[in-house]
Amino acid sequence: MQTIGIIGGGQLGLMIAEQARLLGVRTAVLDPAADAPAFAVADERIVAAYDDAAALEELCRRSDAVTYEFENVPGDVLIPLAERYRIPQGYKPLYDSQDRLREKENARRHGFRTPEFAPVDDRASLRAALEWIGYPAVLKTRTLGYDGHGQQVLRSEADFEAACRLLAVPCILEQFVPFDYETSVVVVADRNEAVSFPMGRNVHRDGILDLCFVPAAIEPALERRIRRTAEAFMRSAGYEGILAIELFVRGDAFYFNEMAPRPHNSGHYTIEGTTTNQFRELVRYLTGEKLRQPELVAPTVMKNILGQDLEAAERIAAEGHENVFVHLYGKTESRPKRKMGHITFVGMTADGYAAQWADRFVR
Ligand code: AMP
């Protein structure tokens, strides 16, 4: 029996471990919190910080292959380990995604269009960047931003001073894309082939993913182009394993926004909505099994459950609806904007969701 090691024991680690178990694969999980969600199903638990070199080495020693759900694992710890143990995705996709400037340059180099962007370090360079990018624009910190944290939209000169507050750390200014909608594509690739998951429409609220509607109602030709570009990007950039790419779509043009070399929130619907899911294909990749191409089972809607919707989700779970799959991550502390779970509605369209379910949740 093989064991896969997972750096990070949040909901992504939990769902990787759940799918591993279904494939007869053991898991060892490292997380700093003793009550991390993935510890509930992991076969082995290591409570330690992400930069604890000895603990990470112990995780590697106990595992046949190691992956990560936590994006900010430091390279000076991971690189030496990757030389001695099987961490098949390696550090490179993490490195390329840990800085928004490097990430966008890399995306362009390997075949994606991105919004225009420029590095910004102080008021003078922000001024210069605004002169050629123009309003509206988005200023983002280059590192450690997530779910809309560390960014500011500049609609006009009136927003300049407020934006300058971000400039304590290196930033990037991006052209604001007036997109029709946001989508994302999840690709899993091994040395021989790549599979990608059907794409959904992502709807955010307060910078956090709220809903994902699948299929995305994209022109089939456009979806094929995006999926092919993403698969080719992985090959060209030399990545293996899992990669999620967030995109803006405007007309028949698409723009790379950001990527993550781990399962993605917009792919949670795949657990029940497609014939195989993002977590399972990652496990297959890690254990050297042949990858399977996912197919959509039926139109599907995924609703994220943040703290404010936890009680509603528990009630829906207790009601026991057919084709409604309630995933609660077992986090011990619930807070309003914390991701506590998600619900997948299989055989559900956007209109059906609006009519039957939307008013069960906080608006
Ligand atoms: P990010 O953290 O880069 O994913 O940004 C969070 C959200 O802000 C995105 O999901 C978009 O809704 C919005 N956003 C970020 N960058 C841009 C952009 N260049 N143009 C338009 N909207 C953006």
Side-chain angles (χ1 to χ4, degrees), residues 100 115 138 140 146-148 151 174-179 182 204 207 246 248 257-258:
R100 289 185 190 273
V138 192
K140 302 179 180 179
Y146 67 97
D147 287 345
Q151 56 182 275
E174 292 177 17
Q175 164 199 16
F176 185 91
V177 179
F179 52 78
E182 295 183 74
H204 293 84
E246 295 181 21
F248 303 134
N257 176 35
E258 61 180 3

Side-chain angles (χ1 to χ4, degrees), residues 2-296:
Q2 293 195 58
T3 301
I4 60 172
I6 308 168
I7 303 173
Q11 62 267 22
L12 302 179
L14 168 71
M15 289 184 272
I16 298 170
E18 285 173 342
Q19 293 298 318
R21 179 154 287 200
L22 293 173
L23 291 174
V25 174
R26 299 177 75 256
T27 50
V29 171
L30 179 146
D31 193 280
D35 59 354
F39 285 156
V41 284
D43 297 281
E44 299 191 38
R45 303 163 186 83
I46 299 175
V47 180
Y50 296 121
D51 58 358
D52 180 334
L56 283 165
E57 173 136 26
E58 180 60 26
L59 179 78
C60 292
R61 220 180 287 125
R62 295 191 200 175
S63 309
D64 296 290
V66 171
T67 189
Y68 32 70
E69 62 122 55
F70 175 72
E71 272 166 88
N72 292 306
V73 189
D76 52 358
V77 178
L78 203 66
I79 292 167
L81 287 173
E83 285 166 7
R84 281 179 293 128
Y85 298 96
R86 242 190 112 236
I87 310 179
Q89 288 175 273
Y91 180 59
K92 185 159 190 307
L94 279 182
Y95 176 78
D96 291 341
S97 66
Q98 282 171 350
D99 177 328
R100 289 185 190 273
L101 179 65
R102 194 157 61 215
E103 184 179 38
K104 288 207 166 57
E105 285 169 343
N106 181 65
R108 281 194 174 173
R109 196 175 311 125
H110 297 290
F112 271 109
R113 185 192 277 197
T114 72
E116 296 298 344
F117 61 87
V120 164
D121 297 310
D122 50 27
R123 297 171 72 93
S125 50
L126 177 57
R127 269 273 166 250
L130 275 169
E131 238 143 68
W132 79 275
I133 288 175
Y135 292 106
V138 192
L139 186 68
K140 302 179 180 179
T141 58
R142 280 172 54 176
T143 60
L144 301 179
Y146 67 97
D147 287 345
H149 291 268
Q151 56 182 275
Q152 172 105 29
V153 178
L154 289 102
R155 297 193 189 281
S156 70
E157 194 54 36
D159 297 324
F160 186 86
E161 284 306 321
C164 284
R165 269 182 245 133
L166 280 184
L167 293 176
V169 292
C171 287
I172 178 173
L173 186 76
E174 292 177 17
Q175 164 199 16
F176 185 91
V177 179
F179 52 78
D180 301 332
Y181 56 90
E182 295 183 74
T183 186
S184 42
V185 57
V186 176
V187 183
V188 180
D190 61 19
R191 213 155 286 173
N192 306 312
E193 61 176 333
V195 299
S196 58
F197 288 83
M199 291 161 51
R201 257 177 210 232
N202 300 340
V203 179
H204 293 84
R205 199 210 270 170
D206 299 331
I208 304 173
L209 185 69
D210 180 31
L211 289 158
C212 185
F213 299 102
V214 198
I218 304 182
E219 282 283 303
L222 178 58
E223 175 159 351
R224 269 198 304 279
R225 257 171 62 219
I226 297 176
R227 284 168 67 171
R228 259 193 254 119
T229 305
E231 292 170 15
F233 169 77
M234 270 193 90
R235 268 193 300 279
S236 173
Y239 304 152
E240 283 186 21
I242 190 162
L243 187 76
I245 300 171
E246 295 181 21
L247 304 137
F248 303 134
V249 177
R250 178 168 162 77
D252 63 1
F254 55 92
Y255 302 84
F256 174 107
N257 176 35
E258 61 180 3
M259 67 176 200
R262 53 157 173 79
H264 194 257
N265 197 165
S266 66
H268 292 359
Y269 89 88
T270 64
I271 297 175
E272 294 91 8
T274 49
T275 48
T276 180
N277 63 67
Q278 60 171 352
F279 306 99
R280 188 173 293 200
E281 291 314 303
L282 171 60
V283 174
R284 285 209 170 99
Y285 162 73
L286 292 166
T287 55
E289 294 293 318
K290 187 170 164 45
L291 303 179
R292 301 201 183 165
Q293 177 64 50
E295 304 294 340
L296 192 63

